[in-house]
Amino acid sequence: MRTIKSKKYLPVLQVVKINLKHNAALSIVISICIIITPIIFGIANLNRTDSAIPLEMFVSLIGIIFLTPIFQPEQNNEIGDLVSSKYISTNLIYFIRTIYAVFLSIIFIGSFVVYMSIQKCDITFLLFIGTVANAIFLGSLGMITAALTENTIIAYMIPLVYYMLNYGAGSKLGNYYLFSMCIPDFKPKVWLLITGILFIFLSLIVKKFKKKFQ
């Protein structure tokens, strides 16, 4: 029983370790840079509405950084063939990457929220959840684009274009307005979170069927 259990869980741990080392390292560095940016400008003693500004406009971009490149390594044919030859399913690898990408996004956002609290900002759990919703939605836009186009560059562009659209269209985007906590209005965050989760699962399903029919 112990041998069977180890065979089941050891590959998962190996996948996480290898991917964190080779695929997630750059994303972690970029995310740290994103977090440092609002800190440089100063975020001390912000009220609740002002606290939403760095969270929605800077920190939520972390979702794009972590979720968009989920499928990138296998876009290299040699790596794709190598991964496909292993006894671990490619779909399982995608799922594991997605889980730790979401987890890392939450950790980074949570760390920034804690820092804001230490700086005596009026920070709330709703602000944290709203930022996570933004991050997951933006990241899922990149992820679903990557699944459909097999092009990571385009996949990065789509959520960034949508992000910029929010500056021009503003609250006209309704329930998909990214900066709603600055109004403040938390209802759009529910739509963003649910849609983001659905896009993530749809991305994994698309990759599964595309792999099946290749």
Side-chain angles (χ1 to χ4, degrees):
M1 180 67 69
R2 183 177 300 177
T3 303
I4 296 175
K5 188 175 181 179
S6 64
K7 286 183 178 179
K8 181 179 179 181
Y9 288 102
L10 184 58
V12 174
L13 295 176
Q14 289 176 337
V15 170
V16 173
K17 181 179 178 180
I18 292 172
N19 280 272
L20 283 174
K21 180 179 179 180
H22 296 285
N23 300 324
L26 180 59
S27 297
I28 291 173
V29 171
I30 296 174
S31 296
I32 292 173
C33 294
I34 290 174
I35 283 182
I36 290 175
T37 301
I39 293 177
I40 293 174
F41 289 100
I43 53 172
N45 302 307
L46 299 178
N47 61 36
R48 190 170 302 181
T49 302
D50 290 339
S51 294
I53 296 175
L55 289 170
E56 289 184 311
M57 296 186 176
F58 289 96
V59 181
S60 62
L61 293 172
I62 286 174
I64 301 176
I65 304 303
F66 280 120
L67 283 168
T68 300
I70 294 294
F71 310 123
Q72 183 178 14
E74 286 72 29
Q75 289 176 5
N76 181 308
N77 292 330
E78 293 182 0
I79 295 177
D81 292 340
L82 178 62
V83 172
S84 298
S85 67
K86 302 297 182 180
Y87 59 91
I88 303 177
S89 168
T90 307
N91 298 316
L92 176 59
I93 292 176
Y94 291 151
F95 181 75
I96 293 171
R97 286 180 189 159
T98 302
I99 293 298
Y100 79 63
V102 171
F103 180 74
L104 286 174
S105 298
I106 293 173
I107 291 296
F108 272 81
I109 293 169
S111 299
F112 189 81
V113 166
V114 170
Y115 177 80
M116 291 185 72
S117 180
I118 293 173
Q119 294 299 308
K120 299 181 179 179
C121 296
D122 186 7
I123 203 79
T124 66
F125 184 69
L126 281 178
L127 288 177
F128 166 69
I129 293 297
T131 309
V132 171
N134 265 24
I136 289 179
F137 177 75
L138 287 170
S140 72
L141 283 180
M143 193 171 170
I144 188 67
T145 304
L148 292 170
T149 66
E150 302 290 341
N151 190 312
T152 306
I153 295 177
I154 296 176
Y156 277 116
M157 289 176 60
I158 295 301
L160 289 175
V161 168
Y162 186 81
Y163 173 84
M164 296 304 298
L165 178 64
N166 278 259
Y167 282 100
S171 58
K172 293 179 181 178
L173 293 170
N175 289 324
Y176 290 94
Y177 180 43
L178 293 175
F179 309 141
S180 65
M181 291 193 300
C182 297
I183 299 176
D185 181 11
F186 290 92
K187 181 182 176 183
K189 301 307 177 185
V190 177
W191 287 85
L192 290 169
L193 182 60
I194 293 174
T195 304
I197 293 173
L198 288 175
F199 277 175
I200 287 174
F201 279 104
L202 183 59
S203 302
L204 296 173
I205 291 171
V206 167
K207 290 298 293 185
K208 180 178 181 178
F209 278 93
K210 288 179 74 173
K211 184 70 176 178
K212 182 178 180 180
F213 292 105
Q214 281 180 350

